[in-house]
Amino acid sequence: DPCRNFHCKRGKVCHVDKEGKPHCVCQDPAACPATKDYEHVCGTDNKTYDGTCQLFGTKCQLEGTKMGRQLHLDYMGSCKYIPQCTDYEVDQFPLRMRDWLKNILMQYYERELNTSGILTEKQRSKVKKIYENEKRLTAGDHTVELLLHDFEKNYHMYVYPVHWQFHQLDQHPVDRLLTHSELAPLRASLVPMEHCITRFFHECDGDQDKLVALKEWCHCFGIKE
């Protein structure tokens, strides 16, 4: 099969021409496999798509047009009303996000006490120190005042989770810069729960070069130089 190891970008599928050569052609959105409701996604055109296959297939068919350039994955789930993020809310956002990142690492570590696979040995040793200190605040919906107090008192516990998340996103390529597409997976999954995340990432880009550098990322989360 000429298509077996022939890679096409999202929205395109491999097609063998009459001469037996593989080519990438746009995915027909109507031919995408059926999806469950929880697999629906919302595009930046505020339209609900049955899944990413249908969204990127549609984007491919619009290639070269203004609509095609503007169409991206906005967030996971069906489209819904997302309220504006206020100045106060965006100021409080890093407090919740830092706590969330720390708790994610705690869960990974607990899961790997019996099985391994998610964290590397070096990452496990880093998280172990945080895990052993982490029995004061259990995961939950804490007040901003409590989260701020915890951050100021236990600052060292929050530095690694912030660095770790940057590293997880910085993959294509690994260059200490986060592009829109590298930020997209985290942003798209959180928008329905954290409506400030889009504005937060936009304001993290201090020099407005459409890239979030490691220094800008850490500054946004209140990590000292």
Side-chain angles (χ1 to χ4, degrees):
D1 180 4
C3 281
R4 175 167 290 183
N5 295 312
F6 195 77
H7 179 72
C8 294
K9 70 176 187 178
R10 293 184 86 172
K12 295 193 174 187
V13 291
C14 182
H15 176 74
V16 180
D17 63 18
K18 292 177 182 177
E19 297 172 2
K21 292 182 179 179
H23 293 280
C24 290
V25 297
C26 285
Q27 164 76 50
D28 176 7
C32 287
T35 58
K36 302 279 194 292
D37 285 351
Y38 61 80
E39 294 174 303
H40 289 178
V41 296
C42 185
T44 46
D45 56 355
N46 202 35
K47 178 183 173 186
T48 297
Y49 293 84
D50 285 348
T52 52
C53 172
Q54 191 181 86
L55 169 66
F56 288 106
T58 302
K59 179 178 173 64
C60 181
Q61 291 188 334
L62 294 170
E63 211 166 65
T65 67
K66 185 179 179 182
M67 282 181 69
R69 286 192 296 274
Q70 292 178 341
L71 180 59
H72 300 285
L73 169 64
D74 197 7
Y75 53 87
M76 310 305 286
S78 300
C79 294
K80 63 179 186 177
Y81 172 69
I82 305 288
Q84 287 286 98
C85 177
T86 65
D87 292 344
Y88 174 78
E89 286 175 321
V90 83
D91 285 344
Q92 309 308 316
F93 182 79
L95 300 170
R96 295 194 304 277
M97 190 73 175
R98 284 189 307 239
D99 193 54
W100 181 71
L101 292 177
K102 177 167 64 68
N103 288 329
I104 290 261
L105 280 175
M106 298 297 100
Q107 289 169 17
Y108 282 167
Y109 183 81
E110 281 189 325
R111 199 182 303 168
E112 294 202 351
L113 290 175
N114 299 318
T115 57
S116 60
I118 301 174
L119 301 174
T120 64
E121 194 172 329
K122 185 178 179 182
Q123 288 172 335
R124 270 198 301 275
S125 67
K126 290 262 191 185
V127 180
K128 183 181 179 182
K129 295 174 187 175
I130 302 173
Y131 183 81
E132 288 173 348
N133 287 327
E134 174 59 14
K135 288 302 166 191
R136 301 158 290 85
L137 275 182
T138 53
D141 187 17
H142 303 297
T143 63
V144 165
E145 291 74 22
L146 190 58
L147 292 177
L148 183 60
H149 173 74
D150 192 59
F151 176 68
E152 290 171 347
K153 184 180 177 185
N154 303 286
Y155 170 81
H156 66 282
M157 292 176 62
Y158 290 88
V159 177
Y160 183 70
V162 170
H163 279 254
W164 169 80
Q165 181 64 85
F166 185 93
H167 170 71
Q168 294 297 108
L169 297 170
D170 182 26
Q171 300 292 334
H172 310 288
V174 178
D175 56 2
R176 292 198 168 205
L177 294 168
L178 296 182
T179 62
H180 171 83
S181 60
E182 285 175 318
L183 283 168
L186 179 65
R187 198 195 70 80
S189 61
L190 288 182
V191 166
M193 298 174 287
E194 287 284 3
H195 67 282
C196 283
I197 195 163
T198 301
R199 180 176 167 184
F200 175 73
F201 283 157
H202 177 73
E203 294 184 5
C204 274
D205 181 16
D207 56 11
Q208 294 297 293
D209 64 350
K210 301 193 184 306
L211 297 168
V212 177
L214 177 61
K215 191 173 181 179
E216 290 174 319
W217 174 267
C218 290
H219 177 73
C220 279
F221 281 102
I223 304 300
K224 303 166 193 170
E225 285 195 38

